[in-house]
Amino acid sequence: MKLVALVGSLRKDSFNLHLVETMEERYKDKFAIEYADIRSLPFYDQDQEDPMPEAAKKLHQQVAAADGVLIVTPEFNWSFSGVLKNALDWLSRGDRPMNNKPTLVAGVSPFMMGTLRAQQHLRDVLVSPGIAARTLPPGGNEILITFANEKFKDGRLVDENTLAFLDSIVDKFVNLVQGK
Ligand SMILES: Cc1cc2nc3c(=O)[nH]c(=O)nc-3n(C[C@H](O)[C@H](O)[C@H](O)COP(=O)(O)O)c2cc1C
Protein backbone atom coordinates (compact mmCIF):
# COMPACT_ATOMS: atom_id res chain seq x y z
CA MET A 1 0.00 0.00 0.00
CA LYS A 2 1.29 3.45 -0.87
CA LEU A 3 0.27 6.75 0.75
CA VAL A 4 1.16 10.26 -0.34
CA ALA A 5 1.82 12.67 2.54
CA LEU A 6 0.88 16.33 2.33
CA VAL A 7 2.73 18.01 5.19
CA GLY A 8 1.22 21.41 5.91
CA SER A 9 4.30 22.86 7.59
CA LEU A 10 7.40 23.70 5.55
CA ARG A 11 9.85 24.12 8.42
CA LYS A 12 12.71 21.66 8.78
CA ASP A 13 12.05 20.71 12.40
CA SER A 14 8.27 20.57 12.03
CA PHE A 15 6.38 18.43 14.55
CA ASN A 16 3.93 17.58 11.78
CA LEU A 17 6.75 16.38 9.56
CA HIS A 18 8.11 14.37 12.49
CA LEU A 19 4.71 12.75 12.92
CA VAL A 20 4.85 11.52 9.32
CA GLU A 21 8.43 10.31 9.82
CA THR A 22 7.29 8.43 12.91
CA MET A 23 4.44 6.84 10.95
CA GLU A 24 6.75 5.96 8.08
CA GLU A 25 8.94 3.92 10.44
CA ARG A 26 6.24 2.53 12.70
CA TYR A 27 3.90 1.34 9.94
CA LYS A 28 6.45 0.30 7.33
CA ASP A 29 4.89 -3.17 7.17
CA LYS A 30 1.48 -1.66 6.39
CA PHE A 31 2.31 1.07 3.87
CA ALA A 32 5.04 3.14 2.26
CA ILE A 33 4.85 6.93 2.45
CA GLU A 34 5.86 9.22 -0.39
CA TYR A 35 6.17 12.96 0.37
CA ALA A 36 4.42 15.46 -1.85
CA ASP A 37 6.52 18.52 -2.66
CA ILE A 38 3.92 21.18 -1.91
CA ARG A 39 6.62 23.84 -1.45
CA SER A 40 7.27 23.86 -5.21
CA LEU A 41 3.69 24.59 -6.18
CA PRO A 42 3.03 28.10 -7.48
CA PHE A 43 0.15 30.03 -5.95
CA TYR A 44 -3.02 28.61 -7.44
CA ASP A 45 -4.00 30.65 -10.49
CA GLN A 46 -6.82 29.70 -12.83
CA ASP A 47 -4.92 31.34 -15.70
CA GLN A 48 -2.14 28.77 -15.22
CA GLU A 49 -4.29 25.68 -15.34
CA ASP A 50 -3.81 24.79 -18.98
CA PRO A 51 -1.22 23.47 -19.14
CA MET A 52 -0.84 22.84 -15.42
CA PRO A 53 2.54 23.77 -13.94
CA GLU A 54 4.90 20.79 -13.65
CA ALA A 55 4.73 20.74 -9.84
CA ALA A 56 0.93 20.57 -9.91
CA LYS A 57 0.98 17.90 -12.60
CA LYS A 58 3.37 15.83 -10.50
CA LEU A 59 1.17 16.21 -7.43
CA HIS A 60 -1.87 15.09 -9.41
CA GLN A 61 0.02 12.04 -10.66
CA GLN A 62 1.28 11.14 -7.19
CA VAL A 63 -2.17 11.31 -5.65
CA ALA A 64 -3.78 9.43 -8.55
CA ALA A 65 -1.24 6.61 -8.22
CA ALA A 66 -1.50 6.33 -4.42
CA ASP A 67 -3.86 4.12 -2.45
CA GLY A 68 -4.47 6.92 0.00
CA VAL A 69 -3.46 10.37 1.17
CA LEU A 70 -2.14 11.42 4.55
CA ILE A 71 -2.67 15.08 5.42
CA VAL A 72 -0.93 16.46 8.47
CA THR A 73 -1.44 20.08 9.33
CA PRO A 74 -0.27 22.61 11.84
CA GLU A 75 -2.79 25.12 13.15
CA PHE A 76 -2.02 28.65 11.97
CA ASN A 77 -4.33 31.38 13.27
CA TRP A 78 -7.11 28.90 14.04
CA SER A 79 -7.03 27.26 10.63
CA PHE A 80 -4.94 24.88 8.54
CA SER A 81 -1.95 26.24 6.70
CA GLY A 82 -2.06 28.30 3.53
CA VAL A 83 0.43 26.06 1.71
CA LEU A 84 -1.87 23.12 2.33
CA LYS A 85 -4.91 25.03 1.04
CA ASN A 86 -2.90 25.95 -2.04
CA ALA A 87 -2.10 22.28 -2.67
CA LEU A 88 -5.75 21.30 -2.21
CA ASP A 89 -6.85 24.04 -4.61
CA TRP A 90 -4.54 22.63 -7.29
CA LEU A 91 -5.79 19.12 -6.57
CA SER A 92 -9.41 20.24 -6.91
CA ARG A 93 -8.92 21.03 -10.60
CA GLY A 94 -8.45 18.99 -13.76
CA ASP A 95 -8.85 15.29 -13.10
CA ARG A 96 -9.62 15.90 -9.41
CA PRO A 97 -7.52 13.02 -8.07
CA MET A 98 -8.72 13.50 -4.48
CA ASN A 99 -12.27 12.42 -5.41
CA ASN A 100 -13.13 9.39 -3.29
CA LYS A 101 -9.45 8.96 -2.33
CA PRO A 102 -9.08 7.50 1.17
CA THR A 103 -7.61 10.33 3.22
CA LEU A 104 -6.30 10.33 6.76
CA VAL A 105 -6.05 13.65 8.60
CA ALA A 106 -3.80 14.45 11.55
CA GLY A 107 -2.29 17.50 13.20
CA VAL A 108 0.19 18.42 15.89
CA SER A 109 0.41 21.56 18.02
CA PRO A 110 2.50 22.52 21.04
CA PHE A 111 -0.67 23.81 22.68
CA MET A 112 -3.82 22.40 24.22
CA MET A 113 -6.14 22.48 21.17
CA GLY A 114 -4.00 20.09 19.14
CA THR A 115 -5.12 21.56 15.76
CA LEU A 116 -8.81 21.02 16.50
CA ARG A 117 -9.85 24.26 14.80
CA ALA A 118 -7.51 23.68 11.85
CA GLN A 119 -8.96 20.22 11.31
CA GLN A 120 -12.53 21.49 11.50
CA HIS A 121 -11.78 23.88 8.63
CA LEU A 122 -9.91 21.18 6.77
CA ARG A 123 -12.87 18.81 6.99
CA ASP A 124 -15.13 21.40 5.38
CA VAL A 125 -12.71 21.63 2.46
CA LEU A 126 -12.31 17.86 2.15
CA VAL A 127 -16.06 17.41 1.53
CA SER A 128 -16.24 20.15 -1.12
CA PRO A 129 -17.09 18.82 -4.61
CA GLY A 130 -13.64 19.51 -6.06
CA ILE A 131 -11.98 17.41 -3.36
CA ALA A 132 -14.65 14.99 -2.07
CA ALA A 133 -12.12 12.80 -0.28
CA ARG A 134 -13.14 9.64 1.59
CA THR A 135 -12.25 10.01 5.28
CA LEU A 136 -12.92 8.09 8.45
CA PRO A 137 -16.18 9.34 9.96
CA PRO A 138 -15.83 12.25 12.40
CA GLY A 139 -16.47 11.64 16.07
CA GLY A 140 -13.53 9.81 17.61
CA ASN A 141 -11.24 9.34 14.64
CA GLU A 142 -9.47 12.69 14.89
CA ILE A 143 -5.72 12.57 15.42
CA LEU A 144 -5.26 15.74 17.48
CA ILE A 145 -1.83 15.77 19.06
CA THR A 146 -1.49 18.36 21.84
CA PHE A 147 1.54 19.54 23.83
CA ALA A 148 3.98 18.38 21.19
CA ASN A 149 7.04 19.50 23.15
CA GLU A 150 6.31 16.79 25.71
CA LYS A 151 5.32 14.06 23.26
CA PHE A 152 8.14 14.28 20.72
CA LYS A 153 11.78 13.49 21.41
CA ASP A 154 14.65 13.68 18.93
CA GLY A 155 12.22 14.21 16.07
CA ARG A 156 9.92 11.29 16.81
CA LEU A 157 6.56 10.89 18.57
CA VAL A 158 7.34 8.88 21.70
CA ASP A 159 4.25 9.31 23.89
CA GLU A 160 2.93 5.78 24.40
CA ASN A 161 -0.75 6.70 24.84
CA THR A 162 -0.72 8.79 21.69
CA LEU A 163 1.06 6.04 19.75
CA ALA A 164 -1.53 3.48 20.90
CA PHE A 165 -4.34 5.75 19.74
CA LEU A 166 -2.53 6.33 16.45
CA ASP A 167 -2.21 2.55 15.97
CA SER A 168 -5.97 2.14 16.35
CA ILE A 169 -6.79 4.89 13.84
CA VAL A 170 -4.22 3.62 11.36
CA ASP A 171 -5.79 0.15 11.54
CA LYS A 172 -9.19 1.68 10.76
CA PHE A 173 -7.70 3.67 7.90
CA VAL A 174 -5.99 0.62 6.39
CA ASN A 175 -9.39 -1.12 6.47
CA LEU A 176 -10.97 1.88 4.75
CA VAL A 177 -8.33 1.73 1.99
CA GLN A 178 -8.87 -2.00 1.61
CA GLY A 179 -12.63 -1.51 1.45
CA LYS A 180 -13.28 -3.51 4.60
C1 LIG B 1 1.73 32.12 12.11
C2 LIG B 1 1.45 31.16 13.23
C3 LIG B 1 0.18 31.01 13.73
C4 LIG B 1 -0.10 30.07 14.74
N1 LIG B 1 -1.38 29.90 15.18
C5 LIG B 1 -1.64 28.88 16.03
C6 LIG B 1 -2.98 28.56 16.37
O1 LIG B 1 -3.93 29.19 15.94
N2 LIG B 1 -3.20 27.50 17.20
C7 LIG B 1 -2.16 26.73 17.69
O2 LIG B 1 -2.40 25.76 18.41
N3 LIG B 1 -0.88 27.02 17.38
C8 LIG B 1 -0.61 28.07 16.56
N4 LIG B 1 0.68 28.34 16.22
C9 LIG B 1 1.77 27.54 16.79
C10 LIG B 1 1.99 26.29 15.97
O3 LIG B 1 1.08 25.29 16.40
C11 LIG B 1 3.42 25.81 16.17
O4 LIG B 1 4.31 26.76 15.63
C12 LIG B 1 3.66 24.45 15.53
O5 LIG B 1 4.89 23.95 15.98
C13 LIG B 1 3.62 24.51 14.03
O6 LIG B 1 3.66 23.22 13.48
P1 LIG B 1 5.04 22.57 13.00
O7 LIG B 1 5.81 22.24 14.24
O8 LIG B 1 4.63 21.36 12.25
O9 LIG B 1 5.76 23.58 12.14
C14 LIG B 1 0.97 29.29 15.24
C15 LIG B 1 2.27 29.47 14.73
C16 LIG B 1 2.50 30.37 13.74
C17 LIG B 1 3.91 30.49 13.18
Side-chain angles (χ1 to χ4, degrees):
M1 186 181 291
K2 187 170 72 183
L3 304 185
V4 172
L6 272 60
V7 183
S9 170
L10 300 182
R11 76 184 184 99
K12 280 197 285 295
D13 199 25
S14 156
F15 287 119
N16 285 279
L17 173 62
H18 292 327
L19 173 62
V20 179
E21 291 165 345
T22 303
M23 293 175 75
E24 201 179 355
E25 290 166 6
R26 189 172 178 89
Y27 306 122
K28 61 178 183 297
D29 296 338
K30 297 182 194 287
F31 45 73
I33 294 180
E34 196 177 285
Y35 291 79
D37 178 16
I38 66 172
R39 180 194 289 273
S40 298
L41 292 166
F43 291 133
Y44 172 75
D45 177 352
Q46 201 171 355
D47 290 338
Q48 279 190 52
E49 271 189 358
D50 194 16
M52 258 195 201
E54 280 308 312
K57 226 185 277 174
K58 171 141 196 249
L59 180 63
H60 273 242
Q61 285 162 357
Q62 271 184 313
V63 169
D67 300 294
V69 172
L70 170 61
I71 300 180
V72 290
T73 185
E75 183 166 285
F76 286 161
N77 303 306
W78 291 22
S79 189
F80 61 97
S81 65
V83 285
L84 184 53
K85 180 63 163 57
N86 189 49
L88 292 170
D89 287 341
W90 278 113
L91 285 167
S92 72
R93 305 297 288 169
D95 53 355
R96 295 182 170 176
M98 289 296 292
N99 276 195
N100 212 30
K101 187 65 73 175
T103 299
L104 182 63
V105 175
V108 188
S109 157
F111 306 118
M112 66 183 294
M113 300 297 279
T115 73
L116 175 65
R117 295 161 296 206
Q119 290 195 38
Q120 279 173 342
H121 283 181
L122 180 55
R123 282 198 174 269
D124 283 345
V125 173
L126 292 182
V127 297
S128 68
I131 303 288
R134 190 147 47 100
T135 59
L136 292 170
N141 292 320
E142 292 78 9
I143 303 170
L144 302 161
I145 303 182
T146 58
F147 303 120
N149 292 304
E150 295 163 22
K151 294 177 183 167
F152 284 76
K153 200 164 183 278
D154 300 327
R156 292 296 178 270
L157 176 64
V158 293
D159 182 75
E160 285 302 330
N161 288 336
T162 309
L163 285 166
F165 177 72
L166 192 61
D167 291 348
S168 71
I169 301 298
V170 164
D171 281 347
K172 286 192 209 179
F173 183 67
V174 167
N175 286 340
L176 179 83
V177 173
Q178 294 173 338
K180 289 184 193 161

